Amino acid sequence: MNDQYEVYQRLVYTVLKKLNVRKPYEDYLQEAYFIYDKCMNNYDSTKSNFSTYFTNQLTFYYMSLFRKQRDQSSRLALLGHYKDSLFPDPISDLIFLHDIYHLA
């Protein structure tokens, strides 16, 4: 990794703690490096300090990531709720057909 990134890595921990992210942080640290690299390429020194720019970009990235994960997990939970109606159990179908045949 970049030696300069090591200086800003404590900001990553600060952002993760601010967003109440639980350990382990390894995946988030790797993603933070990509955000750091992007920020280094896009940084304009006339607008703000790099640490402020990096912290803001990282915070927005993590918030977006967590929102996408939350939305995806809620969709999967909803799909799990309707899974039985989409893919009926073949045993219950057989019992149902047996009941219709003998009781009709």
Side-chain angles (χ1 to χ4, degrees):
M1 282 197 183
N2 192 339
D3 291 334
Q4 292 178 345
Y5 174 70
E6 301 297 328
V7 173
Y8 293 102
Q9 194 170 10
R10 67 179 176 79
L11 293 174
V12 177
Y13 289 107
T14 303
V15 169
L16 290 171
K17 287 180 183 178
K18 182 176 116 177
L19 295 174
N20 297 319
V21 177
R22 295 182 183 162
K23 291 181 181 180
Y25 293 143
E26 286 83 20
D27 291 338
Y28 300 117
L29 292 174
Q30 289 177 3
E31 292 176 13
Y33 180 76
F34 294 121
I35 300 301
Y36 169 81
D37 190 46
K38 186 174 104 174
C39 288
M40 286 298 287
N41 293 329
N42 298 335
Y43 174 62
D44 183 5
S45 61
T46 61
K47 294 183 179 180
S48 68
N49 292 332
F50 180 77
S51 60
T52 305
Y53 177 67
F54 174 59
T55 304
N56 287 336
Q57 292 297 313
L58 190 62
T59 302
F60 291 133
Y61 173 78
Y62 283 144
M63 288 173 58
S64 176
L65 178 69
F66 299 146
R67 184 176 41 255
K68 287 176 187 174
Q69 288 174 348
R70 184 188 67 231
D71 292 345
Q72 182 181 17
S73 66
S74 67
R75 277 190 236 120
L76 288 174
L78 185 63
L79 180 63
H81 178 69
Y82 291 109
K83 182 182 89 169
D84 295 332
S85 65
L86 294 175
F87 304 106
D89 185 20
I91 303 278
S92 64
D93 280 349
L94 186 60
I95 293 170
F96 181 67
L97 289 174
H98 182 270
D99 290 344
I100 289 174
Y101 179 77
H102 289 290
L103 298 174

